[in-house]
């Protein structure tokens, strides 16, 4: 069988790593990743990749220049490819019908129109982005309306990689899901993955099942986090320890141990967006109770983030005004530079509203990105921010190059991302430069409570009684 030529539209956290892995595993397949964003493409072509993922540099270096190309030549790439992946962003709509819930499909639609214009012969178009159910139908209609004689098969092939573990997830996925009506198109794509993934892990379904499975998987995962976070509130009230509870229930093989880590709240580009999408879909079909059930997962997450910042303020004698708070971690989880929907944004915004001075350190997130996220957290639907909030960010936020620099002369330390380097810092060194009582608010339950308490810190963890 001839090797297909592949292109991917969208060089983000999904498109970039996924295509790099296909290129690495299939040296005979040419893979062309395209994006409208020149700066992003330039970084994919440099030694400073726009996506931080352990092991990704090696994967890209192996394939780039051999059978992996990054460019902004969207039209050319489409024209030359047999299989076209769509991996553009699908943010939640911020305006109009379905605002705050439905997915904004503007980028998908533009992509489909460009594909229609630049295609001839037969193309297999693959949805990689997470999309509302039945988007494939809309994509197919746009593709077929071009009238230039090209024919298309549309497949849904959602990506289940988690950021921070993308390379391992792509190498050894639990499953590959391919939804589609045309058996030959499904096989064409399945044959690509089958070069390194066992056939029994490649599941095929109809289009709608595939699209809905992705939303459902993310909704179930997020629900587990919200469930354990709900219990964490009860633990704090009763004296139970949420990590002990998680361990005890996780040994039940029907429940399983993963995704039971109580935290300051889940973030990332998928969970909230996908659940809100599901909620919108349920409402659209008149399933009010189902919509309310899933919406509660997001409400619980909002509650958890707010509960954390409120607890900080209450503990610090009901005022953090003018107090310096070291914020350790800004990414939504460890081992990524992604900050989309990070719990840290919400906690920092709440603390800024309380007039705290926040000193932020994250090993992978640049200062400009932190400031932009904080700016957006205060912005209205049009992206505008008041002078008051702009000034607050300017004067009350500092970004630092190390944990020790951020914690210096602080009143409290808040651990918001579970980066490994926050597990075991030099407690004596940090303590001697801090005001007393020296508070630690551990939003990830990763610090050594016993050691820190003995050293003289007052440690507040999620779902545990306070240690003095
Ligand atoms: C998720 C899905 O896991 C992945 O399959 C899908 O393709 C995209 O969405 P991702 O958002 O990259 O992946 O990371 P994930 O590991 O799922 O974590 C999401 C959020 O939940 C993070 O903020 C993480 O810190 C939080 N989380 C996760 C917890 O608070 N506790 C847990 O036990 C697990
Ligand atoms: P994800 O996390 O799902 O990968 P990202 O937002 O990181 O999403 O990446 C999506 C990428 O898609 C962005 O780099 C954006 O520039 C790109 N993109 C959006 N629309 C188009 C388009 N019509 N043509 C090419 N690239 C696009």
């Amino acid at each position: 069988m001839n090797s297909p030529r592949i292109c991917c539209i969208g060089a983000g956290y999904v498109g970039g790593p996924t295509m790099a892995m296909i290129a690495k595993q299939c040296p005979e397949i040419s893979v062309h990743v395209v994006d409208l964003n020149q700066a992003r493409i330039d970084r994919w072509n440099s030694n400073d990749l726009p996506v931080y993922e352990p092991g990704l540099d090696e994967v890209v270096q192996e394939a780039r220049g051999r059978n992996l190309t990054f460019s902004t030549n969207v039209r050319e790439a489409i024209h030359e490819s047999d299989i076209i992946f769509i991996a553009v962003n699908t943010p939640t709509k911020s305006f109009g019908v379905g605002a705050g819930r439905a997915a904004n499909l503007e980028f998908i639609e533009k992509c489909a129109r460009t594909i229609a214009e630049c295609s001839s012969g037969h193309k297999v178009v693959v949805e990689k982005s997470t999309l509302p159910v039945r988007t494939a139908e809309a994509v197919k209609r746009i593709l077929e309306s071009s009238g230039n004689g090209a024919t298309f098969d549309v497949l849904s092939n959602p990506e289940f990689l988690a950021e921070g573990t993308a390379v391992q997830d792509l190498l050894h996925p639990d499953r590959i899901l391919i939804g589609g009506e045309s058996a030959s198109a499904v096989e064409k794509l399945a044959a690509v993955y089958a070069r390194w993934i066992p056939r029994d892990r490649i599941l095929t379904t109809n289009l709608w099942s595939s699209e809905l499975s992705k939303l459902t998987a993310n909704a179930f995962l997020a629900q587990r986090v919200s469930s354990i976070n709900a219990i964490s509130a009860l633990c704090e009230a009763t004296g139970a320890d949420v990590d002990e509870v998680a361990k005890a229930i996780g040994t039940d093989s029907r429940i399983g141990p993963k995704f039971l880590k109580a935290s300051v709240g889940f973030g990332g580009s998928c969970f909230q967006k996908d659940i809100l999408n599901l909620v919108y879909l349920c409402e659209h079909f008149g399933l009010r109770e189902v919509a309310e059930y899933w919406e509660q997962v997001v409400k619980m997450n909002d509650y958890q983030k707010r509960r954390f910042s409120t607890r900080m303020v209450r503990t610090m004698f009901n005022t953090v005004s003018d107090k310096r708070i070291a914020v350790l971690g800004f990414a939504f989880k460890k081992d990524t530079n992604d900050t989309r929907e990070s719990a840290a944004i919400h906690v920092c915004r709440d603390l800024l509203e309380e007039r705290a001075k926040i000193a932020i350190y994250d090993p992978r997130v640049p200062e400009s990105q932190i400031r932009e996220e904080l700016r957006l957290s205060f912005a209205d639907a049009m992206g505008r921010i008041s002078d008051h909030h702009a000034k607050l960010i300017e004067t009350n936020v500092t970004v630092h190059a190390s944990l020790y620099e951020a914690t210096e002369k602080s009143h409290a330390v808040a651990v918001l991302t579970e980066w490994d380097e926050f597990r075991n810092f030099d407690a004596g060194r940090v303590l001697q430069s801090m005001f007393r009582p020296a508070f630690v608010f551990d939003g990830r339950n990763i610090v050594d409570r016993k050691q820190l308490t003995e050293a003289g810190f007052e440690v507040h963890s999620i779902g545990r009684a306070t240690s003095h």
Side-chain angles (χ1 to χ4, degrees):
M1 192 175 37
N2 281 344
S3 293
R5 287 160 303 174
I6 291 179
C7 82
C8 174
I9 309 177
Y13 284 86
V14 172
T18 311
M19 292 303 124
M21 184 56 74
I22 292 180
K24 173 188 152 45
Q25 300 296 74
C26 315
E28 69 288 4
I29 295 182
S30 111
V31 180
H32 193 164
V33 186
V34 289
D35 200 298
L36 296 173
N37 184 334
Q38 181 74 56
R40 212 166 201 186
I41 287 298
D42 289 346
R43 286 189 65 190
W44 278 111
N45 281 319
S46 76
N47 288 332
D48 175 30
L49 303 184
V51 169
Y52 173 70
E53 275 293 340
L56 183 62
D57 286 7
E58 290 80 0
V59 174
V60 171
Q61 263 158 29
E62 182 181 334
R64 198 173 55 193
R66 180 186 68 190
N67 61 326
L68 175 65
T69 322
F70 294 95
S71 86
T72 52
N73 301 330
V74 180
R75 291 172 168 270
E76 187 187 307
I78 294 169
H79 184 72
E80 288 173 354
S81 299
D82 309 302
I83 302 178
I84 302 162
F85 286 88
I86 304 182
V88 301
N89 36 338
T90 51
T92 305
K93 269 187 93 169
S94 58
F95 53 86
V97 180
R101 292 178 171 202
N104 181 349
L105 297 181
E106 186 187 338
F107 304 113
I108 293 280
E109 183 170 338
K110 282 188 180 139
C111 252
R113 290 188 190 280
T114 314
I115 295 171
E117 277 168 36
C118 305
S119 294
S120 55
H122 184 75
K123 307 273 190 198
V124 175
V125 176
V126 186
E127 294 177 346
K128 206 43 159 164
S129 318
T130 309
L131 293 164
V133 181
R134 304 207 89 105
T135 305
E137 197 168 64
V139 168
K140 201 161 169 40
R141 279 190 57 200
I142 295 169
L143 291 173
E144 283 168 355
S145 63
S146 77
N148 64 3
T151 54
F152 301 94
D153 280 313
V154 179
L155 302 179
S156 158
N157 170 221
E159 184 48 61
F160 293 100
L161 69 79
E163 289 176 30
T165 53
V167 171
Q168 286 309 312
D169 294 345
L170 288 164
L171 267 177
H172 310 289
D174 288 343
R175 78 316 210 172
I176 292 289
L177 184 57
I178 304 176
E181 309 310 315
S182 151
S184 64
V186 169
E187 177 48 33
K188 201 170 188 174
L189 184 58
V192 172
Y193 289 112
R195 292 174 205 228
W196 80 95
I197 295 159
R199 276 277 173 176
D200 60 1
R201 293 201 175 184
I202 303 177
L203 312 182
T204 56
T205 64
N206 77 31
L207 261 176
W208 328 127
S209 300
S210 171
E211 289 180 331
L212 185 57
S213 298
K214 172 67 183 183
L215 293 186
T216 307
N218 277 343
F220 268 59
L221 290 169
Q223 182 203 43
R224 276 176 75 97
V225 179
S226 274
S227 296
I228 199 71
N229 281 346
I231 297 301
S232 76
L234 195 56
C235 286
E236 284 161 37
T238 57
D241 178 329
V242 76
D243 287 335
E244 289 178 358
V245 173
K247 191 164 179 202
I249 65 166
T251 50
D252 184 326
S253 61
R254 294 166 302 175
I255 297 174
K258 294 184 181 167
F259 258 76
L260 287 179
K261 186 78 189 154
S263 69
V264 55
F266 62 73
S269 69
C270 286
F271 281 1
Q272 174 163 314
K273 180 185 81 177
D274 289 356
I275 291 176
L276 293 176
N277 226 311
L278 198 61
V279 168
Y280 184 68
L281 207 65
C282 294
E283 282 173 349
H284 174 80
F285 289 107
L287 304 170
R288 194 170 50 84
E289 286 80 358
V290 186
E292 281 171 5
Y293 174 75
W294 287 109
E295 191 165 24
Q296 197 58 34
V297 173
V298 173
K299 286 189 181 159
M300 182 54 62
N301 197 46
D302 290 339
Y303 166 75
Q304 186 76 349
K305 292 180 280 191
R306 174 55 60 91
R307 210 167 68 77
F308 188 83
S309 51
T310 305
R311 187 175 173 198
M312 286 182 71
V313 176
R314 290 223 177 102
T315 306
M316 296 170 76
F317 317 108
N318 285 315
T319 176
V320 290
S321 174
D322 240 8
K323 289 180 181 163
R324 174 164 161 145
I325 297 174
V327 166
L328 301 185
F330 203 80
F332 81 96
K333 62 185 285 197
K334 75 169 181 177
D335 289 341
T336 178
N337 58 348
D338 196 349
T339 51
R340 285 176 290 180
E341 297 296 337
S342 179
I345 301 170
H346 299 260
V347 172
C348 288
R349 187 195 53 201
D350 291 349
L351 294 175
L352 284 172
E353 291 280 23
E354 294 282 341
R355 308 283 164 91
K357 299 225 180 276
I358 53 179
I360 304 173
Y361 166 62
D362 186 288
R364 289 284 167 182
V365 183
E367 174 161 359
S368 55
Q369 190 175 331
I370 291 175
R371 290 192 180 277
E372 178 61 9
E373 287 284 20
L374 292 175
R375 201 190 72 76
L376 289 173
S377 78
F378 286 114
D380 63 17
M382 302 297 287
R384 288 173 308 216
I385 168 172
S386 70
D387 290 346
H388 162 69
H389 285 130
K391 188 130 202 305
L392 208 53
I393 296 172
E394 199 184 305
T395 55
N396 285 24
V397 176
T398 51
V399 179
H400 299 269
S402 76
L403 175 155
Y404 298 102
E405 202 181 291
T407 52
E408 208 171 312
K409 296 203 178 74
S410 63
H411 293 79
V413 175
V415 180
L416 301 186
T417 311
E418 73 282 20
W419 287 102
D420 288 340
E421 65 183 270
F422 302 155
R423 284 177 191 275
N424 279 311
F425 52 85
D426 182 340
R429 180 171 166 196
V430 170
L431 187 71
Q432 57 87 21
S433 76
M434 282 180 69
F435 288 95
R436 310 300 159 87
F439 298 101
V440 172
F441 297 93
D442 185 1
R444 296 289 181 166
N445 286 3
I446 56 162
V447 303
D448 186 333
R449 258 163 71 98
K450 192 162 168 283
Q451 188 214 348
L452 292 189
T453 308
E454 279 167 13
F457 287 95
E458 181 177 313
V459 183
H460 296 258
S461 311
I462 303 274
R464 279 184 201 164
T466 299
S467 83
H468 291 275

